[in-house]
Amino acid sequence: MNLLLLFTTIGIQMNELPATDTLPRTQLDSVMVQGFVQRSPLASVPAAISIAGSTEWNRYSPGSSIAAMNALPGVRMEERSPGSYRMAIRGSSLRSPFGVRNVRFYYEQFPITDPGGNTYLNLFAPAAFEQMEVLRGPAASVYGAGSGGALLATGSSKVIGTIPFRVTVLGGSNGLFQADAQVLTGTTDKYNRIQLHHQQASGYREHSSMRRNFISWQNKQAITENYKISTLVLYSDLEYQTPGGLTLAQYQADPKQARPAGGPFPSAQDAKATIYQQSFYGGVQQVYTPFTRLRLEATLYGMYNRITNPTIRNFERRTEPSFGTRALIGYTVPLSSGSLDFSAGAEWQKGYYQVNVFGNRGGEQDTLQSSDALTPVNALVFGQAQWKPDSNWEISAGISFNNNTIRIIRESVVPNYAFTSSGQAEWAPRISIARKLNTFTVYALAAKGFSPPTSSELLPSTSVINTNLQAEYGWNYELGFRGRVAKQRIWLDANIFYFQLKDAIVQRRDASGADFFTNAGSTRQWGIELASRYSPLKQHPNFSWQPWFSYTYHPFQYRDFTQIEADYSGNRIPGIARQTVAAGLDLQVFQKADIHLTYQYVDPIFLNDANSAKAKAYQLVGAKLGAVLYKMTSKKGNTGAISWFAGADNLLNQNYSLGNDINAVGGRYYNAAARRNYFTGIRVQ
């Protein structure tokens, strides 16, 4: 609490805009999105896209992106322990024991998902994201294989003069301390942006501390009016303890405890179960527009991930160097009326991974158990066309060809055993049509999704090579509505979809907590997703308010799934809430203070395929207050301000699990999230 008191009394902030100006001044109608290569207004895009921007981030603690992402329809972000994230778009985390799989991730249009199909989203600082586009479902064929969707992130503001300098310091419950800094210099066409981040926390549960250091540099140079080069370099050093899943009895008796010893396996604390993750990324992107109608892009990048992971079962060391390239050409055909845009491109990635597994002797590396060399290769070719015969109609079609192979050589046996995944090539077409009606747009689309097994699914933490795992695939059909109704006071974004997924990849866990995977026949996934905001026609200059609401209905079921003698056909798919609701109220007083009130409800979640266990429903209530304490103006006319913010999460003090271990042997499903907790901080920008 001493840290909290310190932050409530000291603070500096400098910026040209009021720090508390978080009510949406840019309406969603005019927000530009990148989802299908060409930048388009969100209101007219014929696909299910959600946006998390500064308005959404400012409602919650700067220490995490989880709450803001979970306020989006169709999205669930989980945290088994601080630093251990999972991202689900329409239930896609069914196959993710940790990290992000079945979802492609791009940062400033640089591919971050590695050739093995894994995305280390936790390497990023929360402050690294200014806007996150979430493409729900397999409509994102221009971004490669993935039946879940895609995430497209952009960094902090690059409008020179708006926020040239920013520092945020944050403290809170469970030992939370965080410091972020950004420096932005240059002009809009030529700039340098440097970001620094440090975060540490002791965690709510025993053995759940974390520490992350992050630094990034982004440079943009306009060589000529038509030729621009962008550079991205980042490094992340992350360490977080993994307390392990609890049984229901353990969870109810003491949700804060780490997994105790049981049978032949030590406790998480005795095994010193921890993940040490270092990541480096560097890339260069060139954009050339020889004339107005033609655009050429080329990106070259490389990444290196090193993971050291002592677990209850073993001690794993992984090195994952990889490199890749992405190229794009866009051309607009001049028409007497309307427009026709063509885009085509390709993406290629290759990695050279080494995975060595040892015995774990009290957190120290013991004798070698297995050694594997993995060579994942991911290739993508895509093309699409968008025809707008007039200002009211848009017809678009796209297709991509995805070819994914992973070669695994077990070097710890003589002679070496080699396995190459096969049958991982697939065409993924997409077609959509949209019609604008006054202030809203109605659209329909059909798209094929395809997602091959990742390297971590073919070689999971059991160290047993899975030679039978196949790619999952299926068709998605969707109807949507987006725009303003009720005399333009209500922004409404709603859609209904049906996705029949075949050979769905699902997760299992053995007695030690190690994961492995299997195909689950077919699933029936239909649902409804809705988001809305209400904008009063008149706002008092000293008091403005805006309520918002989102709703997700996902009654997903196994359609045909039999495993040995167990028939799970017709059962609910585990790990997915049938209904979720998020709502809130944004208030601004005298243009100097913000108040954000937030609410979330999550339905009970089944924890295994048999539907014999489920986590209880829970409700989360949060509040955040921010205020400008002091404003200043320099001789050059730049303005600054001292601001302060504070808030609380889980005000109802709910006991809930935010990251369940699905299908865990012995019923070790539960990873308790923090009870009522507080945060406060200062910002300098």
Side-chain angles (χ1 to χ4, degrees):
M1 290 302 295
N2 292 335
L3 185 62
L4 295 177
L5 292 174
L6 172 64
F7 286 144
T8 59
T9 57
I10 302 177
I12 300 176
Q13 171 168 344
M14 302 174 61
N15 84 18
E16 291 197 358
L17 299 175
T20 59
D21 190 9
T22 58
L23 294 182
R25 296 294 179 249
T26 302
Q27 299 296 335
L28 287 172
D29 315 59
S30 58
V31 170
M32 302 298 289
V33 297
Q34 188 74 34
F36 296 97
V37 181
Q38 292 94 352
R39 289 181 60 81
S40 305
L42 174 63
S44 65
V45 176
I49 297 181
S50 296
I51 300 293
S54 58
T55 299
E56 288 71 26
W57 305 135
N58 286 328
R59 292 174 180 148
Y60 304 95
S61 166
S64 175
S65 305
I66 294 174
M69 296 299 293
N70 285 339
L72 303 178
V75 179
R76 177 173 171 83
M77 190 171 181
E78 299 179 332
E79 184 179 54
R80 297 168 66 209
S81 61
S84 177
Y85 303 140
R86 289 189 301 213
M87 177 72 74
I89 302 177
R90 293 181 176 173
S92 61
S93 72
L94 183 64
R95 52 190 284 195
S96 298
F98 62 89
V100 180
R101 301 177 187 174
N102 197 28
V103 173
R104 304 290 295 181
F105 180 58
Y106 293 76
Y107 183 70
E108 298 284 5
Q109 290 300 303
F110 286 91
I112 302 298
T113 301
D114 68 22
N118 301 304
T119 302
Y120 296 105
L121 188 62
N122 55 2
L123 72 86
F124 285 92
F129 306 132
E130 180 182 23
Q131 177 172 297
M132 182 84 78
E133 293 179 35
V134 182
L135 282 65
R136 306 195 301 275
S141 58
V142 296
Y143 296 106
S147 56
L151 298 172
L152 310 178
T154 57
S156 299
S157 174
K158 295 181 269 307
V159 180
I160 305 302
T162 301
I163 308 176
F165 175 68
R166 177 172 61 198
V167 173
T168 303
V169 181
L170 169 71
S173 303
N174 304 312
L176 173 63
F177 173 77
Q178 179 175 312
D180 292 282
Q182 172 183 283
V183 178
L184 182 63
T185 64
T187 65
T188 303
D189 290 331
K190 296 183 179 182
Y191 64 81
N192 285 281
R193 186 186 72 194
I194 298 174
Q195 289 183 304
L196 301 170
H197 162 85
H198 172 77
Q199 185 182 49
Q200 64 186 51
S202 56
Y204 168 71
R205 296 178 62 188
E206 297 174 353
H207 197 70
S208 64
S209 67
M210 67 85 65
R211 175 195 54 79
R212 175 174 50 218
N213 292 310
F214 173 85
I215 181 171
S216 70
W217 170 63
Q218 188 174 5
N219 171 268
K220 181 178 180 181
Q221 294 290 330
I223 307 302
T224 67
E225 184 178 350
N226 300 328
Y227 179 46
K228 298 179 175 63
I229 296 179
S230 298
T231 304
L232 174 66
V233 178
L234 62 85
Y235 174 76
S236 177
D237 184 0
L238 174 65
E239 173 188 335
Y240 61 93
Q241 296 176 325
T242 53
L246 301 177
T247 66
L248 180 59
Q250 294 165 347
Y251 175 69
Q252 291 176 335
D254 181 10
K256 299 180 68 173
Q257 66 177 307
R259 172 177 169 166
F265 302 109
S267 68
Q269 291 169 305
D270 291 340
K272 298 182 180 178
T274 307
I275 290 182
Y276 304 89
Q277 174 184 312
Q278 292 85 38
S279 302
F280 175 81
Y281 187 98
V284 177
Q285 182 183 80
Q286 301 180 74
V287 178
Y288 179 51
T289 53
F291 49 91
T292 308
R293 298 192 302 270
L294 180 64
R295 178 183 176 90
L296 305 172
E297 295 184 15
T299 304
L300 181 66
Y301 60 92
M303 68 181 88
Y304 178 85
N305 297 301
R306 182 174 63 190
I307 295 93
T308 303
N309 182 202
T311 70
I312 291 173
R313 179 188 180 93
N314 52 35
F315 190 110
E316 183 182 58
R317 292 187 183 274
R318 302 203 311 268
T319 56
E320 300 175 342
S322 63
F323 60 96
T325 184
R326 179 177 171 89
L328 173 69
I329 180 172
Y331 182 73
T332 300
V333 179
L335 300 175
S336 57
S337 63
S339 63
L340 178 60
D341 296 318
F342 286 102
S343 299
E347 186 173 324
W348 181 86
Q349 299 173 293
K350 187 172 185 178
Y352 295 93
Y353 299 173
Q354 186 68 41
V355 180
N356 296 327
V357 178
F358 306 85
N360 182 3
R361 181 180 296 177
E364 299 295 330
Q365 175 181 311
D366 201 0
T367 55
L368 180 69
Q369 296 180 352
S370 65
S371 178
D372 297 279
L374 287 74
T375 308
V377 180
N378 174 36
L380 160 72
V381 179
F382 64 88
Q384 67 173 16
Q386 291 178 298
W387 179 42
K388 298 179 181 179
D390 54 42
S391 59
N392 294 322
W393 285 94
E394 177 181 321
I395 301 172
S396 64
I399 191 168
S400 66
F401 178 75
N402 306 271
N403 189 14
N404 303 79
T405 62
I406 299 177
R407 180 170 175 80
I408 303 174
I409 299 177
R410 174 139 295 178
E411 299 175 332
S412 53
V413 297
V414 179
N416 294 167
Y417 169 76
F419 166 76
T420 301
S421 61
S422 59
Q424 311 298 343
E426 191 79 20
W427 291 95
R430 171 184 57 84
I431 186 169
S432 66
I433 183 170
R435 175 70 163 92
K436 184 178 180 181
L437 301 169
N438 297 322
T439 59
F440 59 88
T441 298
V442 178
Y443 66 87
L445 70 84
K448 185 178 182 180
F450 164 76
S451 183
T454 68
S455 59
S456 296
E457 290 164 344
L458 292 173
L459 183 62
S461 54
T462 58
S463 299
V464 178
I465 300 173
N466 192 334
T467 60
N468 298 317
L469 200 60
Q470 300 298 314
E472 59 182 20
Y473 64 96
W475 277 90
N476 179 68
Y477 305 94
E478 201 155 334
L479 291 173
F481 170 100
R482 183 184 289 119
R484 292 194 170 276
V485 296
K487 298 182 179 180
Q488 301 194 42
R489 286 178 292 183
I490 298 177
W491 166 269
L492 185 63
D493 189 343
N495 65 281
I496 181 171
F497 67 91
Y498 176 77
F499 187 27
Q500 183 172 331
L501 188 63
K502 297 182 179 180
D503 287 334
I505 298 174
V506 297
Q507 173 196 354
R508 297 281 185 275
R509 283 186 179 272
D510 66 13
S512 69
D515 55 84
F516 61 99
F517 301 86
T518 185
N519 292 107
S522 62
T523 65
R524 183 187 295 111
Q525 301 177 198
W526 76 275
I528 298 171
E529 298 161 345
L530 181 150
S532 66
R533 288 182 182 177
Y534 176 78
S535 300
L537 293 179
K538 295 183 179 180
Q539 295 271 23
H540 192 278
N542 292 326
F543 180 80
S544 57
W545 59 284
Q546 183 175 72
W548 56 273
F549 173 83
S550 73
Y551 173 74
T552 301
Y553 180 66
H554 284 174
F556 298 169
Q557 292 179 300
Y558 288 125
R559 182 179 181 181
D560 178 20
F561 182 26
T562 302
Q563 193 173 48
I564 309 178
E565 296 181 356
D567 187 358
Y568 301 126
S569 303
N571 284 11
R572 291 273 306 281
I573 298 177
I576 302 168
R578 185 183 182 91
Q579 298 182 91
T580 60
V581 175
L585 179 63
D586 300 328
L587 304 169
Q588 189 176 83
V589 182
F590 297 113
Q591 298 188 18
K592 291 185 177 181
D594 289 348
I595 301 173
H596 301 280
L597 305 175
T598 58
Y599 170 81
Q600 184 186 32
Y601 167 79
V602 178
D603 251 358
I605 296 175
F606 284 105
L607 303 174
N608 58 17
D609 292 328
N611 289 179
S612 59
K614 64 180 178 181
K616 293 182 179 180
Y618 61 87
Q619 302 178 73
L620 302 177
V621 175
K624 182 184 176 185
L625 169 67
V628 174
L629 303 179
Y630 179 72
K631 290 185 177 182
M632 63 192 78
T633 303
S634 70
K635 294 181 180 180
K636 295 183 179 180
N638 294 326
T639 60
I642 301 173
S643 71
W644 160 87
F645 60 87
D649 294 322
N650 195 4
L651 284 170
L652 299 181
N653 206 30
Q654 297 268 287
N655 188 25
Y656 70 105
S657 176
L658 186 57
N660 302 298
D661 291 342
I662 303 303
N663 289 314
V665 170
R668 298 182 182 276
Y669 308 117
Y670 302 92
N671 291 280
R675 303 287 284 266
R676 186 185 297 120
N677 61 95
Y678 307 92
F679 61 90
T680 187
I682 58 175
R683 182 165 290 148
V684 179
Q685 67 183 32

